[in-house]
Amino acid sequence: DTGVSQDPRHKITKRGQNVTFRCDPISEHNRLYWYRQTLGQGPEFLTYFQNEAQLEKSRLLSDRFSAERPKGSFSTLEIQRTEQGDSAMYLCASSQPGLVAQETQYFGPGTRLLVL
Amino acid sequence: RKEVEQDPGPFNVPEGATVAFNCTYSNSASQSFFWYRQDCRKEPKLLMSVYSSGNEDGRFTAQLNRASQYISLLIRDSKLSDSATYLCVVNPAGGTSYGKLTFGQGTILTVHP
């Protein structure tokens, strides 16, 4: 399978614990995005990387959230001191930049987080 | 005002029906537009890009009206397999905002026999 992969697919944790999610983009895609989706809503942008550089972070990404892409390939998203409001699906997407109308983001299956 | 607004539905239609979804966006400088489809508990998947001249892909037709900041999706001859949530997506213009997709909340479609 050459699509975007995410691990784990599901995570249940207790409030206050730290969690880390991993995303492996489509190979040779140099842009990688993280989104968060809550029930009944569309995905919301969190942050994105071009190669290893983190170029933008949403105001949704509080100090408890950190994302890295150290070698410009896979990325991790860590949430420290989780809160119940962090429960959501965390989606990763990757793209290969091209002409405006041609850049398509391909999404991974997501990591569904439940904070008890 | 939300950046991308959609009627959440749900739309319940019989097989073979024609159904249309509408979407408005607030950023007049937005560059590119898409419809994504999301099945229950799955990731969004690109259905089609939307071009200024309008475009068609089989039973699906997308239209863009930049003056009114309005996007539409028409599905003809609905199939049971079309049941899903349809997400209107806008890619804002320029600089580091490029690629930061903005999603509507989605319109739920259920096609019944």
Side-chain angles (χ1 to χ4, degrees):
Chain A
D1 185 353
T2 57
V4 178
S5 62
Q6 292 187 245
D7 183 70
R9 297 288 303 276
H10 303 274
K11 180 70 178 179
I12 301 174
T13 192
K14 293 182 180 179
R15 189 177 53 185
Q17 298 295 304
N18 299 343
V19 294
T20 300
F21 310 142
R22 175 177 171 130
C23 170
D24 286 88
I26 294 171
S27 58
E28 298 179 358
H29 277 193
N30 61 357
R31 284 192 175 174
L32 186 149
Y33 307 81
W34 285 99
Y35 294 84
R36 180 172 72 186
Q37 186 175 24
T38 54
L39 199 61
Q41 301 298 317
E44 294 176 292
F45 169 82
L46 292 179
T47 188
Y48 93 91
F49 294 84
Q50 180 152 318
N51 299 312
E52 65 275 10
Q54 188 173 18
L55 295 186
E56 188 167 352
K57 294 195 297 184
S58 164
R59 58 180 172 76
L60 294 175
L61 217 63
S62 74
D63 291 345
R64 297 183 297 105
F65 288 72
S66 62
E68 294 183 343
R69 194 182 182 197
K71 297 182 180 179
S73 56
F74 73 91
S75 175
T76 57
L77 177 68
E78 181 183 16
I79 310 174
Q80 296 182 327
R81 304 181 304 282
T82 52
E83 302 173 355
Q84 289 181 325
D86 297 332
S87 296
M89 176 133 87
Y90 291 83
L91 291 159
C92 176
S94 70
S95 70
Q96 184 74 342
L99 295 176
V100 169
Q102 294 176 1
E103 178 170 335
T104 299
Q105 293 186 24
Y106 296 90
F107 284 81
T111 294
R112 194 171 295 275
L113 173 67
L114 177 61
V115 182
L116 301 176
Chain B
R1 180 185 174 187
K2 291 183 180 178
E3 291 184 64
V4 179
E5 294 203 60
Q6 293 181 251
D7 178 350
F11 286 66
N12 293 295
V13 302
E15 275 186 289
T18 295
V19 61
F21 304 140
N22 303 318
C23 169
T24 58
Y25 61 95
S26 61
N27 183 350
S28 60
S30 296
Q31 290 286 337
S32 52
F33 310 88
F34 309 89
W35 284 101
Y36 274 71
R37 170 197 168 125
Q38 186 171 28
D39 293 302
C40 188
R41 302 181 73 82
K42 300 285 189 180
E43 73 274 22
K45 292 186 178 178
L46 179 67
L47 179 65
M48 58 198 304
S49 301
V50 187
Y51 304 121
S52 294
S53 56
N55 47 299
E56 186 173 311
D57 182 3
R59 298 181 294 107
F60 298 84
T61 301
Q63 294 279 349
L64 168 64
N65 183 324
R66 285 188 182 271
S68 302
Q69 295 176 211
Y70 172 92
I71 306 161
S72 66
L73 176 69
L74 183 76
I75 305 175
R76 291 182 299 278
D77 188 24
S78 300
K79 310 292 184 191
L80 296 176
S81 58
D82 293 334
S83 298
T85 297
Y86 290 83
L87 296 160
C88 177
V89 186
V90 174
N91 190 344
T96 58
S97 293
Y98 186 79
K100 175 183 149 184
L101 297 182
T102 303
F103 288 77
Q105 73 176 100
T107 298
I108 298 171
L109 172 66
T110 301
V111 181
H112 58 81

